[in-house]
């Protein structure tokens, strides 16, 4: 690695590692660590960073040419070198007009919008009560997240059900108590060659034919893909195939026709508000100087925490029921984008790249894994995502939700000394050796940092801005790590092996494999 600026980052990291976080966080002025962005505010004042650390990361951003890379992204230049493509997810929110490829995408988006409107109005020839969305990964996680987040913005529309797994029980559950006669099946697959989706598409077609007959079945089918010829070969009618551009990555694709089920179920107004929220975040990321660029500065913190300080994972705690799928969505967005080790930049990598991302919905995690977060012996970069309008109008419960989120962050930082525990016990009349021993177990080290992303609301605009924030943060972090955030060469090998083992489980010669795999195959075959 020949990134001159990284040396200073390592110096700052070893300095910060030797500083007590509680001291660092009790800053005289926290303003530099409260970052504004459209529809939300980010509080990093409890993280192990300070002005000098951020300055060192800004120097890395400068040396990596982050500003120029951002300009490349929004100029639709090649930012995905290994696949020789631009990355055009931002253009789905209205950017890039006049660029031919983007004008073509906009024409396709208009077609999808017209179909969504027709379907909503019963124009398909049947009353539409359910959309069965079939897809996996980027063709599933974004729509699921957005459906949970926004479904009550248009409860008059049809419901969306999702089927993703090759396990037929997923499809069975998704089709429980729905009527094929009032269902539109939407098969979503960028490649249109994903085995799980092909399997569920076949189950769906059989389900429709069984209940509606061959002739009627096709009127209840539509497809979204960047391989329309494959969708046609599968049997979708040409006017029911909605293309998506190859330059829109699967994990960045919810804004494309991958989100067609959302457009139908939520309606054009809610859908356009979602896009508008993302668009203002795009504008912020495109135009804000790096010193005031919130997605870029979050990426700088990610690289500082996970590479310079070596914190191996990020825990995302979504303190809103409607955002319960956010951790799952971010797992793909961040780990499929930046879970790599091949340098894309001549200067090489600066160290270990993306963290594991996991998490859950608050307050549920408090009653399952927060014990380890508070008293365990593992580090994690913890991220709270909450909204000022928590509680959906129920003030007291919304207050309780926010109080829990803020309390967890405070407790992680403040901890509880054994002395504090002893005085708590003394107040209950418990003193002496037994109390002292109990206090030892009650000790909470504290000095555990966290970031809090506080949304203004959970309205469609805010949700759009939030997801765009994470998309741009992921891109910027990839650039800082020196990798390509837009390809995913690591996912193909498993598919090839699965096909070979499928044949072996069906009785074919398993060939040369490790003894464990051979035994598992022979045991499962029996
Ligand atoms: O295997 C990983 C992956 O290719 C993801 O990148 C993608 O979102 C998912 O599978 C589904 O792919 P497709 O939309 O082509 O079916």
């Amino acid at each position: 690695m020949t990134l001159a600026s990284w040396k200073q980052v390592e110096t700052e990291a070893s300095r910060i590692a030797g500083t007590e976080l509680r001291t660092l966080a009790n800053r005289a002025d926290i303003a530099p660590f409260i970052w504004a962005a459209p529809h939300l505010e980010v509080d990093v004042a409890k993280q192990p960073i300070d002005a000098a650390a951020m300055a060192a990361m800004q120097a890395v951003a400068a040396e990596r040419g982050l500003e120029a890379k951002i300009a490349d992204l929004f100029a639709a230049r090649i930012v995905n070198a290994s696949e020789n493509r631009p990355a055009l997810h931002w253009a789905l929110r209205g950017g890039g007009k006049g660029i031919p490829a983007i004008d073509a995408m906009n024409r396709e988006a208009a077609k999808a919008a017209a179909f969504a409107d027709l379907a909503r109005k019963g124009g398909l020839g049947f009353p539409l009560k359910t959309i069965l969305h079939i897809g996996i990964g980027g063709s599933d996680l974004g729509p699921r997240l957005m459906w949970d987040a926004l479904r009550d913005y248009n409860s008059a529309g049809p419901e969306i059900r999702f089927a993703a797994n090759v396990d037929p029980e997923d499809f069975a559950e998704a089709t429980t108590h729905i009527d094929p006669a009032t269902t539109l099946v939407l098969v979503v697959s960028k490649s249109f060659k994903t085995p799980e989706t092909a399997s569920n598409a076949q189950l769906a077609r059989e389900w429709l034919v069984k209940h509606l007959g061959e002739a009627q079945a096709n009127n209840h089918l539509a497809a979204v893909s960047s391989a329309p010829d494959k969708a046609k070969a599968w049997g979708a009618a040409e006017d029911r195939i909605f293309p998506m551009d190859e330059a829109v990555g699967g994990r960045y694709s919810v804004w494309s026709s991958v989100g067609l089920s959302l457009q139908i179920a939520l309606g054009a107004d809610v859908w356009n508000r979602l896009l508008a929220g993302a668009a203002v975040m795009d504008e912020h990321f495109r135009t804000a100087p790096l010193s005031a660029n919130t997605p870029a500065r979050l990426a700088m913190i990610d690289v500082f925490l996970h590479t310079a300080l070596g914190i191996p994972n990020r825990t995302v705690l979504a303190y809103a029921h409607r955002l319960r799928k956010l951790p799952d969505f971010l797992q793909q967005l961040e780990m499929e984008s930046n879970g790599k080790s091949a340098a894309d930049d001549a200067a090489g990598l600066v160290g270990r790249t993306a963290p594991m991302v996991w998490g859950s919905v608050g307050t549920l995690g408090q009653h399952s894994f927060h014990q380890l977060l508070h008293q365990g012996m593992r580090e994690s970069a913890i991220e709270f995502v909450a909204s000022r309008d928590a509680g959906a109008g129920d003030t007291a419960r919304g207050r309780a939700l926010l109080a829990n989120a803020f309390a967890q962050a405070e407790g992680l930082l403040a901890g509880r000394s054994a002395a504090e525990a002893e005085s708590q016990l003394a107040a209950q009349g418990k003193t002496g050796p037994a109390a002292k021993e109990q206090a030892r177990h009650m000790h909470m080290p504290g000095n555990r940092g966290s970031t809090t992303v506080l949304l203004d609301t959970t309205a469609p605009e805010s949700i759009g801005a939030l997801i765009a924030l994470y998309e741009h943060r992921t891109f910027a972090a990839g650039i800082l790590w020196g990798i390509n955030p837009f390809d995913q060469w690591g996912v193909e090998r498993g598919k090839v092996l699965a096909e070979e083992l499928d044949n072996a489980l069906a009785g074919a010669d398993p060939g040369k494999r490790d003894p464990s795999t051979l035994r598992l195959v022979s045991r499962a075959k029996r």
Side-chain angles (χ1 to χ4, degrees), residues 136-139 189-192 194 250-251 332 336 488 491 495:
I136 196 167
S139 294
S189 176
K190 180 175 179 183
S191 63
F192 226 83
T194 302
R251 54 196 174 271
Q332 186 196 14
E336 194 167 85
Q488 55 284 319
V491 298
K495 296 174 184 176

Side-chain angles (χ1 to χ4, degrees), residues 358 368-378 448:
W358 71 291
S368 74
F369 55 80
H370 282 221
Q371 162 61 38
L372 183 141
L373 299 182
H374 285 286
Q375 287 189 320
M377 300 177 76
R378 301 285 179 183
R448 297 180 176 196

Side-chain angles (χ1 to χ4, degrees), residues 285-464:
F285 184 56
R286 189 179 69 82
T287 60
L290 293 186
S291 58
N293 190 312
T294 296
R297 288 180 293 177
L298 280 168
M300 290 176 205
I301 286 195
D302 287 342
V303 176
F304 190 76
L305 295 184
H306 297 299
T307 307
L309 291 178
I311 298 175
N313 67 72
R314 173 135 43 83
T315 307
V316 176
L317 302 172
Y319 271 73
H321 180 64
R322 62 179 61 227
L323 294 177
R324 60 190 178 281
K325 293 283 189 329
L326 182 62
D328 291 357
F329 173 81
L330 293 180
Q331 280 185 330
Q332 186 196 14
L333 177 64
E334 300 197 42
M335 294 171 74
E336 194 167 85
S337 292
N338 293 331
K340 294 162 188 170
S341 56
D344 196 44
D345 181 87
L349 306 181
V350 290
R352 284 185 299 174
T353 53
M356 273 77 81
V357 176
W358 71 291
S360 178
V361 61
T363 61
L364 277 59
Q366 296 170 209
H367 304 275
S368 74
F369 55 80
H370 282 221
Q371 162 61 38
L372 183 141
L373 299 182
H374 285 286
Q375 287 189 320
M377 300 177 76
R378 301 285 179 183
E379 270 196 299
S380 179
I382 297 165
E383 187 147 324
F384 295 88
V385 181
S387 176
R388 294 176 65 199
D389 71 352
D394 181 329
T395 310
R397 290 180 175 85
R399 200 172 52 229
L401 191 57
L402 288 178
N404 272 282
F406 300 161
Q408 290 297 310
E410 180 183 355
L412 285 163
L413 177 68
R416 174 174 54 198
S417 67
E420 280 170 311
E422 278 183 56
S423 58
Q424 277 173 0
L425 292 169
Q428 298 163 21
K430 293 176 184 170
T431 56
K436 206 166 185 63
E437 172 59 7
Q438 186 180 336
R440 185 171 65 84
H441 291 278
M442 291 168 65
H443 172 247
M444 298 163 69
N447 284 314
R448 297 180 176 196
S450 63
T451 291
T452 297
V453 178
L454 191 58
L455 293 167
D456 294 344
T457 72
T458 48
E461 293 85 351
S462 299
I463 302 299

Side-chain angles (χ1 to χ4, degrees), residues 135-136 144 163-171 196-197 199-200 203:
I136 196 167
R144 277 189 206 251
N165 203 332
V166 70
D167 182 339
E169 301 216 81
D170 191 7
F171 180 87
E196 296 92 333
T197 302
S199 166
N200 281 320
L203 286 176

Side-chain angles (χ1 to χ4, degrees), residues 108-127:
E108 293 304 340
K111 262 175 58 184
F115 175 76
D117 200 42
L118 178 76
R120 277 177 65 78
K121 289 175 179 159
L124 300 183
F126 56 87

